[in-house]
């Protein structure tokens, strides 16, 4: 994942925001159970945490993520005693944490079977549909990926409604393709953007998947106001897929963003009651 994403958090839609909700699969803090049965916190792996760590110094920020370790699952019980959130225990992290726990079998289907074994390989042009068991794939999709995305969306909605001020929601990567549309069903005027940190392939690659999965992915992503891609080619591939699979002129391409990224955004203006983006922004 490019570390230049740090410059992207200064996009115009955050200029007047007071509150930011980030959602990702991996959180900024990982909790491990020590030999003395105490929970120890350490910084989460990956460049995304590094890229976004300074945003907490500028905004009231809450980070929603899935539990990945046994320590993460244990900390959720502690969070439940404090309204579902807790301040980050790490020095220099000025943010609140909201971790989401689903059954281990559900998470394995979401993370291993769909996110890593299917989407990652397909989006890197390495997926072999001949090797796939369609029955197992549908099970992992319905009882893993969809359930995990719903759980994250529910947690984000809880955070949106925690305070009266309207936040900006920032989603990350290929683990959460359904979340934006699920949020928008509850909060249609919320500003939502998503960064995808792996390639977006030609629409022909998506035809390797069952049609219900491909349709759900594209329909899920158009719940965003803005989608950031690594390259202009990725953005164009997404737009071509949207034109092929969805009805309506949903998206246009925006060039020249910092760090060389390309962005697809809604043609329709964001509702005027949103305080975070003017109609001519981006």
């Amino acid at each position: 994942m490019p570390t230049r994403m740090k410059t992207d958090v200064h996009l115009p839609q955050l200029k007047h925001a007071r509150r930011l909700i980030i959602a990702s699969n991996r959180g900024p803090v990982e909790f491990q159970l020590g030999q003395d049965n105490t929970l120890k916190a350490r910084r989460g792996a990956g460049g995304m945490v590094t890229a976004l760590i300074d945003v907490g110094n500028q905004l009231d920020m809450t980070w929603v993520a899935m539990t990945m370790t046994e320590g993460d699952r244990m900390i959720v019980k502690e969070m439940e005693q404090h309204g579902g959130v807790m301040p980050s225990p790490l020095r220099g992290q000025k943010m609140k944490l909201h971790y989401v726990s689903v059954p281990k079998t559900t998470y394995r289907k979401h993370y291993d079977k769909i996110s890593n074994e299917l989407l990652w390989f397909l989006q890197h042009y390495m997926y072999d549909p001949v090797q796939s068991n369609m029955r197992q794939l549908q099970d992992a999709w319905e009882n893993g990926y969809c359930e995990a995305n719903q759980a994250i969306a529910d947690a984000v909605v809880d955070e949106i409604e925690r305070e009266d001020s309207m936040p900006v929601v920032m989603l990350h990567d290929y683990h959460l393709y359904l979340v934006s549309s699920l949020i928008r069903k509850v909060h249609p005027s919320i500003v939502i953007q998503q960064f995808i940190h792996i390639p977006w392939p030609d629409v022909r690659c998506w035809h390797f998947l069952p049609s219900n999965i491909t349709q759900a992915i594209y329909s899920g992503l158009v719940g965003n106001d803005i989608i950031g891609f690594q390259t202009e080619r990725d953005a164009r591939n997404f737009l071509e897929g949207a034109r092929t699979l969805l009805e309506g002129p949903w998206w246009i391409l925006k060039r020249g963003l910092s760090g060389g990224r390309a962005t697809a955004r809604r043609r329709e203006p964001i509702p005027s009651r949103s305080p975070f983006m003017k109609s001519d922004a981006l």
Side-chain angles (χ1 to χ4, degrees):
M1 183 193 68
T3 56
R4 63 174 178 265
M5 191 187 70
K6 185 173 182 177
T7 60
D8 287 339
V9 299
H10 300 298
L11 291 173
Q13 63 269 33
L14 295 183
K15 184 176 181 180
H16 302 294
R18 294 186 178 89
R19 196 157 63 101
L20 174 66
I21 300 171
I22 296 174
S24 62
N25 179 71
R26 185 184 299 273
V29 181
E30 183 178 287
F31 295 90
Q32 295 288 346
L33 187 63
Q35 294 182 348
D36 56 355
N37 289 325
T38 60
L39 285 174
K40 298 182 179 180
R42 68 181 184 184
R43 184 166 169 169
M48 186 167 61
V49 176
T50 301
L52 293 170
I53 201 70
D54 291 337
V55 182
N57 297 324
Q58 306 167 34
L59 301 171
D60 178 5
M61 184 168 78
T62 302
W63 198 309
V64 177
M66 302 294 297
T67 56
M68 298 188 69
T69 67
E70 193 61 38
D72 290 348
R73 285 183 281 273
M74 291 179 65
I75 207 69
V76 167
K77 297 179 181 179
E78 183 176 327
M79 290 181 180
E80 290 173 351
Q81 299 174 7
H82 298 86
V85 296
M86 65 177 291
S88 172
L90 299 185
R91 182 178 300 177
Q93 287 192 356
K94 295 182 179 180
M95 68 180 76
K96 294 185 286 293
L97 306 177
H98 183 148
Y99 279 17
V100 177
S101 188
V102 296
K104 292 181 181 180
T105 54
T106 300
Y107 186 75
R108 283 195 293 269
K109 290 175 181 180
H110 157 69
Y111 184 68
D112 295 332
K113 296 300 182 182
I114 298 297
S115 296
N116 290 342
E117 294 179 16
L118 176 65
L119 294 177
W120 193 93
F121 276 88
L122 183 138
Q123 293 189 232
H124 285 87
Y125 298 90
M126 298 168 63
Y127 175 65
D128 183 1
V130 176
Q131 302 297 322
S132 296
N133 182 309
M134 287 298 112
R135 180 176 295 180
Q136 292 179 1
L137 177 61
Q138 290 286 3
D139 174 66
W141 174 259
E142 294 172 9
N143 300 308
Y145 195 86
C146 292
E147 289 192 14
N149 273 244
Q150 184 67 65
I152 287 287
D154 290 344
V156 172
V157 168
D158 287 345
E159 292 307 316
I160 291 170
E161 297 174 353
R162 189 177 295 276
E163 300 179 19
D164 292 335
S165 61
M166 189 75 77
V168 168
V169 174
M170 182 186 292
L171 309 175
H172 284 277
D173 232 346
Y174 57 100
H175 312 85
L176 306 180
Y177 284 159
L178 311 183
V179 171
S180 62
S181 288
L182 294 170
I183 296 170
R184 198 165 293 286
K185 289 178 182 179
V186 185
H187 290 281
S189 64
I190 202 78
V191 176
I192 311 174
Q193 62 183 42
Q194 186 158 355
F195 293 99
I196 298 174
H197 305 292
I198 61 175
W200 192 270
D202 185 281
V203 66
R204 290 172 292 184
C205 292
W206 293 100
H207 290 313
F208 289 138
L209 301 184
S211 59
N212 67 302
I213 294 179
T214 297
Q215 191 73 28
I217 288 172
Y218 270 89
S219 297
L221 281 169
V222 297
N224 288 287
D225 295 293
I226 295 174
I227 307 176
F229 297 91
Q230 289 183 319
T231 68
E232 183 175 317
R233 178 182 178 184
D234 294 332
R236 288 191 178 280
N237 284 342
F238 171 80
L239 293 170
E240 181 60 30
R243 283 191 288 266
T244 302
L245 298 167
L246 304 174
E247 295 182 0
W250 285 92
W251 300 89
I252 56 176
L253 178 69
K254 306 301 286 189
R255 301 182 183 86
L257 294 184
S258 58
R261 285 178 176 264
T263 296
R265 65 155 292 179
R266 285 177 179 271
R267 284 184 181 275
E268 296 85 353
I270 295 171
S272 59
R273 61 181 175 275
S274 168
F276 302 119
M277 184 184 289
K278 297 180 180 179
S279 60
D280 60 347
L282 268 181

